[in-house]
């Protein structure tokens, strides 16, 4: 009793201790925000944030936003030859066939009438003249000639600010459209809502037909049935390249799948060698732990660079980069899980006379399998995203397509399309990995729709896999029979 | 007596039979599952190998060529190595700064989003699904996409990378934090509500102190991941050590000593932060097994 009373602190001591604690907490509570603020001020100048306003390109942002939901059709006159072409986004693949015009363009001889929206019009006349008819401000007539460049019939001083004019170039930008005149070329842009030629290009007979027409209407192309023909033309759409995009998405998922699963297969046996309870020899254990640290520390970026030198660009390089990095992560995680197994179950299996392999198979694996599978499935989802990024570096999959589209700085509608596809792909992988975890780990039944959706993903994958393996086996068998034939036929 | 014995024997037989049938069925199922898995792996490898520029078996022989070049050149010029390490230190600090700022911003965003999307804590319970989907989408966008688009608008520099990583971090941390929030005790919140605290006060004083250790632990893990991400974004033009790395390896032969210096810096940083954060995280959560992502 008395001993306890002696060691118990007095009330004053306790008050004092409480005061100290509160004072310390106050200091921490005040100093953390101050330190953060100081850090942000440092970064503000280190990253040169005041200079961003100067460097930022507002016009780039406007083009980007406008392009995501609309496209422009170019009406172009080559001033030297007088030839007029109409093309979506000015691309050859989106051009109207010669001699045909959209209904807002009418051409007769060397004159052309181009209707823009809201009563704006442009008239191309003879001798390289072009007149922009503004409903409120009247006409702006321009003429391009080899000798004098571009001439405008209005005085420079009174020009409204949507027109920029020098003798080299006239540029009229309004809400309704845009006209540029240079010595060599007169161009008119008209903006339309939507993504151009997403379904069919202009050379497809199905262009301009709705889904009802194609499904239930009369046969459009006499050669092919409507459904097959439409599917074919959509698949081979030269502007949007739906087949290449589908392959790219597939390649990205493939990289993530091969990399994650390969890493799990490699890491599982190695993890035993790095777990305290399975490898008593500290040297070996430390060796394998350092191997895992190394694989993780080198990081996917460096692995990608190293491997792409050996294997060239493509999905295999990406898969191997993921495999190397994640062998490290899985090795660490798996060995931690193995260190937490319950020894009693292993003893029980051993008491029945099981050999080491059987002890692992029946004593250890059932205990750790749920943890391991759930970690692998988590990584599968996150690696889909990594595979996009690795694809951008090594040159494969959707990552390559999107970086190319961004670097050309032209087809922002395609960039938008790819972003939507990537987000959907990652969310789908997230969903699949969640459902599989639910089925395998917690044994919860999943709903009918989920089953159907999983089937829709896995059954084609399995059929495709069987096909690929069968083709490969046949080729291999042929090679072997050649070998054997060569041996005996000699 | 004899009857009971036979009856018992029959019951045991039936039990054994049904058990063996069960085992056989389970073996069949796992056999099929493993066969399908092997099939998918083999086919996947064949397709990937086919679509790769160089084949697997051809490349396997060259796998050490590039590392050997780098190491031999670095070894020849080993006297310059300390100088090179010093030269690239500022770039490394920039990469670390990008990771730190984006983790901090993502941490704040994730915290707010998670509080808004947890049942019992949300200000507008009806909007919970909206905030959850927002987090899903933020999480699904790869950093590189946002970074490249922002580089187009704001030109090359660290800020696009910061924004890109912060967006992803907010989504990823928001999801983990909302799982943490689910386990928070609501009594302090009720207590604060009863004395008239508003939502911000209830969250700051009632919830955050409970969840802070877990929040910090996940944020540290994210910082680790973000260092790697920021190095990768540098590689596509967002500044920092990744940018220097790309220059040093794409200028062809003769710069491999610089590449080696960058490899060393990046590797040491990642390993150091990894070790530091795992020690800190263990202390924060007392050896809790946490999800890695």
């Amino acid at each position: 009793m008395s001993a306890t009373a002696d060691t118990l602190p007095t009330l004053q001591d306790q008050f004092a201790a409480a005061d100290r604690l509160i004072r310390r907490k106050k200091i921490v509570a005040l100093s953390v925000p101050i330190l953060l603020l100081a850090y942000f001020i440092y970064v503000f100048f280190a990253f040169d944030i005041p200079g961003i306003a100067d460097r930022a390109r507002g016009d780039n942002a406007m083009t980007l936003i406008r392009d995501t939901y609309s496209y422009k059709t170019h009406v172009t006159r080559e001033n030297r030859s007088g030839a007029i072409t109409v093309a979506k986004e000015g691309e050859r693949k989106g051009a109207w066939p010669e001699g045909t015009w959209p209904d807002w363009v009418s051409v007769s001889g060397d004159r052309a009438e181009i209707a823009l929206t809201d009563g704006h019009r442009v008239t191309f006349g003879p001798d390289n003249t072009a007149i922009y008819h503004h409903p409120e401000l009247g006409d702006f007539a321009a003429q391009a000639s080899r000798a004098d460049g571009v001439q405008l019939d209005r005085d420079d001083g009174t020009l409204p600010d949507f027109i920029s004019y020098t003798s080299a170039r006239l540029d009229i930008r309004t809400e309704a459209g845009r006209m540029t005149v240079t010595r060599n070329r007169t161009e008119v842009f008209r903006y339309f809502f939507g993504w151009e030629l997403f379904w069919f290009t202009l050379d497809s007979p199905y262009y301009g037909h709705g889904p009802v027409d194609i499904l239930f209407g009369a046969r459009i192309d006499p050669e092919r049935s409507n459904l097959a023909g439409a599917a074919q033309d959509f698949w081979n759409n030269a502007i949007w390249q739906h087949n290449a995009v589908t392959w790219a998405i597939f390649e990205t998922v493939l990289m993530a799948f091969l990399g994650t699963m390969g890493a799990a297969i490699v890491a599982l046996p190695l993890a035993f060698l790095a777990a305290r309870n399975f490898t008593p020899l500290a040297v070996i254990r430390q060796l394998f732990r350092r191997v895992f640290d190394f694989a993780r520390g080198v990081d996917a970026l460096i692995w990608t660079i190293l491997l792409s030198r050996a294997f060239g660009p493509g999905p295999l390089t990406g898969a191997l980069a993921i495999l190397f990095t994640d062998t490290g992560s899985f090795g660490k995680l798996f060995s931690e899980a193995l260190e937490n197994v319950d020894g009693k179950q292993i003893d029980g299996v051993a008491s029945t006379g099981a050999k080491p392999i059987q002890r692992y198979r029946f004593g250890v694996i059932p205990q750790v399998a749920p943890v391991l599978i759930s970690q692998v499935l988590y990584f599968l989802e996150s690696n889909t995203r990594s595979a996009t990024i690795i694809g951008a570096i090594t040159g494969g999959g959707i990552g390559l397509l999107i970086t190319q589209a961004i670097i050309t700085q032209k087809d922002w509608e395609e960039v938008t399309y790819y972003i939507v596809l990537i987000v959907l792909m990652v969310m789908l992988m997230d969903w699949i990995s969640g459902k599989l975890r639910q089925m395998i780990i917690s044994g919860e039944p999943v709903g009918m729709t989920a089953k159907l959706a999983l089937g829709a993903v896995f059954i084609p994958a399995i059929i495709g896999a069987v096909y690929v393996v069968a083709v490969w086996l046949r080729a291999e068998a042929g090679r072997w029979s050649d070998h054997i034939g060569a041996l005996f036929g000699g | 007596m004899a009857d009971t014995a036979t009856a018992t024997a029959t019951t045991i037989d039936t039990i054994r039979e049904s058990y063996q049938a069960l085992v056989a069925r389970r073996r069949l199922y796992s056999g099929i599952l493993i066969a399908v898995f092997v099939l998918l792996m083999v086919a996947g490898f064949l397709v990937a190998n086919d679509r790769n520029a160089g084949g697997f078996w051809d490349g396997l022989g060259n796998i050490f060529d590039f590392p050997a070049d780098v190491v031999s050149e670095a070894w020849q010029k080993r006297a310059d190595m300390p100088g090179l390490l010093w030269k690239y230190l500022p770039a490394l600090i920039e990469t670390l700064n990008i990771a730190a700022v984006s983790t901090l911003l993502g941490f704040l965003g994730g915290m707010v989003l998670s509080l808004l999307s947890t049942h019992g804590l949300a200000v507008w319970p009806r909007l919970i699904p909206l905030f959850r989907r927002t987090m899903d989408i933020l999480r699904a966008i790869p950093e590189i996409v946002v970074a490249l688009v922002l580089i187009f608008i704001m030109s090359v520099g660290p800020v696009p990378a910061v924004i890109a990583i912060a967006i992803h971090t907010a989504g990823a941390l928001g999801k983990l934090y909302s799982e943490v929030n689910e386990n928070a005790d609501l009594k302090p919140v009720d207590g604060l509500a009863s004395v008239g605290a508003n939502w911000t006060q209830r969250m700051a004083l009632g919830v955050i102190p409970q969840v802070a250790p877990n929040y910090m632990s996940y944020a540290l893990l994210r910082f680790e991941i973000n260092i790697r991400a920021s190095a990768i974004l540098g590689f596509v033009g967002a500044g920092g050590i990744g940018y220097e790395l790309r220059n040093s390896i794409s200028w062809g032969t003769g710069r491999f000593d610089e590449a080696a210096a960058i490899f060393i810096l990046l590797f040491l940083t990642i390993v150091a932060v990894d070790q530091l954060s795992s020690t800190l995280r263990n202390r924060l959560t007392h050896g809790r097994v946490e999800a890695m992502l």
Side-chain angles (χ1 to χ4, degrees), chain A residues 125-173:
Chain A
D127 297 329
N128 292 332
T129 52
I131 305 166
Y132 191 99
H133 306 277
H134 195 287
E136 282 130 42
L137 300 172
D139 293 359
F140 297 88
Q143 184 167 26
S145 65
R146 307 268 332 137
D148 304 322
V150 184
Q151 286 170 302
L152 187 63
D153 70 338
R154 296 218 185 179
D155 179 29
D156 296 24
T158 61
L159 284 180
D161 58 359
F162 62 84
I163 297 180
S164 75
Y165 169 61
T166 63
S167 65
R169 182 185 172 87
L170 166 72
D171 192 346
I172 304 179
R173 287 181 195 225

Side-chain angles (χ1 to χ4, degrees), chain A residues 271-426:
Chain A
F272 279 96
L273 294 170
R276 197 179 303 124
N277 42 352
F278 292 96
T279 305
L281 216 60
V283 182
I284 296 182
R285 204 165 65 218
Q286 288 302 324
L287 175 77
F288 279 95
R289 286 195 183 170
R290 292 296 87 78
V291 168
F292 294 152
D293 284 346
F294 178 76
R296 245 150 27 94
V298 171
D299 190 34
L301 170 66
I302 300 177
W303 283 126
T304 311
I305 295 169
L306 295 182
L307 292 167
S308 62
R309 297 271 166 153
F311 297 105
L316 185 72
T317 310
L320 288 174
I322 294 176
L323 191 150
F324 276 78
T325 320
D326 280 0
T327 301
S329 313
F330 282 150
K332 184 172 184 239
L333 285 170
F334 288 2
S335 65
E336 278 166 10
L338 286 171
E339 282 179 357
N340 291 331
V341 294
D342 185 2
K344 293 196 191 94
Q345 198 169 330
I346 309 170
D347 290 344
V349 176
S351 71
T352 63
K355 293 187 197 65
I357 293 287
Q358 290 168 324
R359 285 207 291 265
Y360 289 150
R361 167 65 187 81
F362 295 102
V364 182
I365 296 292
Q367 285 192 57
V368 292
V371 183
L372 266 48
I373 292 174
S374 123
Q375 278 164 348
V376 170
L377 288 172
Y378 264 122
F379 270 72
L380 182 64
E381 183 259 326
S382 113
N383 278 342
T384 317
R385 218 173 319 104
S386 311
T388 314
I389 297 170
I390 288 174
I393 302 170
T394 178
I398 191 81
L400 177 68
L401 286 189
I402 197 166
T403 33
Q404 280 177 341
I406 290 175
I407 286 166
T408 58
Q409 305 200 340
K410 190 161 68 91
D411 298 318
W412 292 104
E413 64 281 5
E414 278 172 29
V415 174
T416 318
Y417 176 48
Y418 298 150
I419 291 176
V420 170
L421 285 178
I422 290 171
V423 169
L424 288 179
M425 172 184 76
V426 175

Side-chain angles (χ1 to χ4, degrees), chain A residues 93 97 197 199-209 214 220-221 224 229-234 236-238:
Chain A
K93 286 176 285 191
L197 311 174
W199 302 102
F200 304 110
T201 43
L202 290 171
D203 54 2
S204 162
Y206 303 97
Y207 175 75
H209 292 275
I214 289 170
I220 297 163
D221 182 357
R224 302 170 293 182
Q232 207 176 359
D233 282 8
F234 171 74
N236 297 320
N237 183 325

Side-chain angles (χ1 to χ4, degrees), chain A residues 73-75 85-88 95-97 99-107 113-115 190 192 202 207:
Chain A
T73 300
H74 301 214
V75 181
T85 51
V86 182
K88 298 199 173 185
W96 262 261
T100 60
W101 316 103
D103 51 10
W104 47 275
V105 177
S106 61
V107 180
E113 191 77 23
I114 301 145
R190 182 176 164 169
F192 292 91
L202 290 171
Y207 175 75

Side-chain angles (χ1 to χ4, degrees), chain B residues 212-290:
Chain B
N214 283 320
Y215 274 25
M216 293 306 291
S217 161
Y218 283 134
L220 277 171
L221 195 67
R222 206 64 229 178
F223 177 56
E224 246 180 273
I225 298 169
N226 285 350
I227 292 177
R228 296 158 187 261
S230 120
I232 288 186
L233 291 187
F235 200 78
V236 298
I241 198 142
Y243 185 67
E244 303 291 344
L245 177 61
R246 187 173 67 174
N247 288 342
S248 72
I249 63 162
S250 64
W251 284 349
T253 48
R255 316 294 299 182
F256 284 172
D257 52 332
E258 304 203 338
I262 295 171
F263 283 161
I264 291 172
L265 279 177
L266 200 55
F267 177 74
L268 290 181
T269 311
I270 289 174
V271 171
V273 173
D274 193 290
Q275 298 293 336
L276 193 71
S277 102
S278 89
T279 320
L280 279 174
R281 274 184 292 128
N282 270 332
R283 197 177 294 171
L284 278 169
T285 54
H286 294 290
R288 267 187 62 249
V289 181
E290 73 282 302

